[in-house]
Amino acid sequence: MPELPEVEALAVDLRGRLKDRAITKIHLAQFSALKTFDPPLSALEGTLVDDVTRHGKFLDIEASGIHLILHLARAGWVRWRDEVPTIPPKPSPKSTLAARVVLDSEEGLDITEAGTKKSLALYVVRAPQDVPGIATLGPEPMNDDFTQEVFARILQEAGRKQLKGVLRHQGTIAGIGNAYSDEILHAARMSPYKPADSLSEEELTTLYSALRSTLADAVARSTGLAASELKGEKKSHMAVHGRTGLPCPVCGDTVREVSFADSSLQYCPTCQTGGKPLADRRMSKLLK
């Protein structure tokens, strides 16, 4: 799933391609992807793109006061086309195409989603806050006002909730998902199951620093890359996420995994859990 660094890089890339360009047509190929009806999708046709920005994991294309907002979910992506086909796409359960944005230059964007679980969402709204997922977002962790004091308050209010869940909950902190929460906790050398309100002042400083540096480094690496390069860049720089069975780049121990109903987490026992493996079952605790 694209997270804060990738969506930020997509916004930067698309801003350079779309700003001050006219949208001539939008084709909807997967009708279930469109989550709004007023304004209609056709309201974007004939508009000029003013900006492309990000809200958490949401991508926001603003055109003449109307916002096309995308949530790419687990398997969605945006692909630039130097030339779009002249024939409109036909809805097909076999196609990955969800929508196509056509520009006045006959260039455009394909919004796609792989796999059978269709979670990608498109919204056409007058203001970003009209999207429920944006209206309930927590603070942006890369903003200057996301201080260590703000982070400390978030963790205290989370109580005994596990750090992994707190970091990736969008209503608590915007933009961090499964991958970067794994990476932040590995950089901080903390268990994903550590209670949020149990951190000492030193541990708080360590986790805050890991959060900021992990995201900042990923944004720096991603910014300037084309959309086609972002997935490979993300994967190649992961220390533990998606690396089950491989050696930890810090200590050499084997990266382990805990699987849940619809996701999994990866961690290094030596770096994060005092050498103790986590039980691989839902709602597991540290093995005693």
Side-chain angles (χ1 to χ4, degrees):
M1 176 184 291
E3 299 179 30
L4 184 158
E6 294 79 49
V7 181
E8 179 68 23
L10 279 174
V12 171
D13 181 49
L14 292 177
R15 186 181 304 128
R17 297 177 185 272
L18 298 179
K19 188 172 173 58
D20 299 325
R21 303 287 295 279
I23 297 174
T24 58
K25 191 70 180 176
I26 297 188
H27 300 293
L28 188 64
Q30 297 291 340
F31 296 106
S32 62
L34 183 62
K35 307 302 181 185
T36 54
F37 62 91
D38 181 31
L41 191 63
S42 59
L44 286 159
E45 296 174 358
T47 60
L48 288 176
V49 177
D50 299 313
D51 203 0
V52 183
T53 55
R54 176 189 63 80
H55 314 277
K57 300 179 189 177
F58 291 85
L59 190 66
D60 180 358
I61 301 172
E62 181 181 359
S64 301
I66 303 294
H67 296 258
L68 173 62
I69 293 181
L70 315 177
H71 190 279
L72 297 172
R74 180 167 293 182
W77 201 243
V78 176
R79 303 180 188 279
W80 177 258
R81 299 194 66 141
D82 291 324
E83 185 177 354
V84 297
T86 56
I87 299 175
K90 294 182 179 180
S92 169
K94 297 180 180 180
S95 174
T96 62
L97 183 65
R100 175 172 290 154
V101 179
V102 183
L103 303 177
D104 52 351
S105 60
E106 298 184 357
E107 298 170 304
L109 300 176
D110 278 358
I111 302 163
T112 64
E113 184 174 27
T116 57
K117 186 177 180 180
K118 301 301 182 183
S119 303
L120 181 142
L122 282 71
Y123 306 84
V124 181
V125 293
R126 295 179 179 87
Q129 294 298 311
D130 293 339
V131 176
I134 292 178
T136 58
L137 281 175
E140 286 280 349
M142 296 307 295
N143 285 357
D144 290 341
D145 58 3
F146 189 83
T147 62
Q148 184 168 316
E149 290 71 24
V150 169
F151 188 46
R153 186 165 61 251
I154 287 172
L155 296 182
Q156 284 301 310
E157 291 174 354
R160 304 300 290 174
K161 292 179 181 177
Q162 297 166 348
L163 283 178
K164 169 78 175 179
V166 174
L167 289 175
R168 64 177 296 196
H169 184 261
Q170 298 304 294
T172 303
I173 303 173
I176 302 172
N178 198 31
Y180 286 103
S181 57
D182 282 350
E183 294 299 296
I184 289 165
L185 290 166
H186 177 260
R189 302 178 71 91
M190 291 183 190
S191 168
Y193 294 159
K194 188 175 181 64
D197 65 357
S198 70
L199 274 63
S200 67
E201 192 65 29
E202 182 180 356
E203 288 175 325
L204 171 65
T205 299
T206 297
L207 184 57
Y208 177 76
S209 176
L211 183 155
R212 297 276 287 194
S213 62
T214 298
L215 294 179
D217 290 348
V219 169
R221 290 193 307 267
S222 300
T223 301
L225 296 180
S228 59
E229 301 173 285
L230 288 172
K231 290 183 181 180
E233 193 287 328
K234 176 181 180 180
K235 185 176 180 179
S236 67
H237 284 87
M238 291 288 146
V240 289
H241 185 78
R243 302 187 75 248
T244 304
L246 297 174
C248 167
V250 174
C251 72
D253 194 1
T254 301
V255 173
R256 309 289 183 91
E257 177 176 305
V258 178
S259 298
F260 301 98
D262 60 354
S263 66
S264 63
L265 65 83
Q266 286 82 43
Y267 68 100
C268 169
T270 295
C271 290
Q272 296 175 253
T273 61
K276 299 178 181 179
L278 300 174
D280 191 4
R281 63 179 185 273
R282 201 170 189 184
M283 304 303 291
S284 61
K285 304 295 184 181
L286 278 174
L287 290 176
K288 302 297 184 183

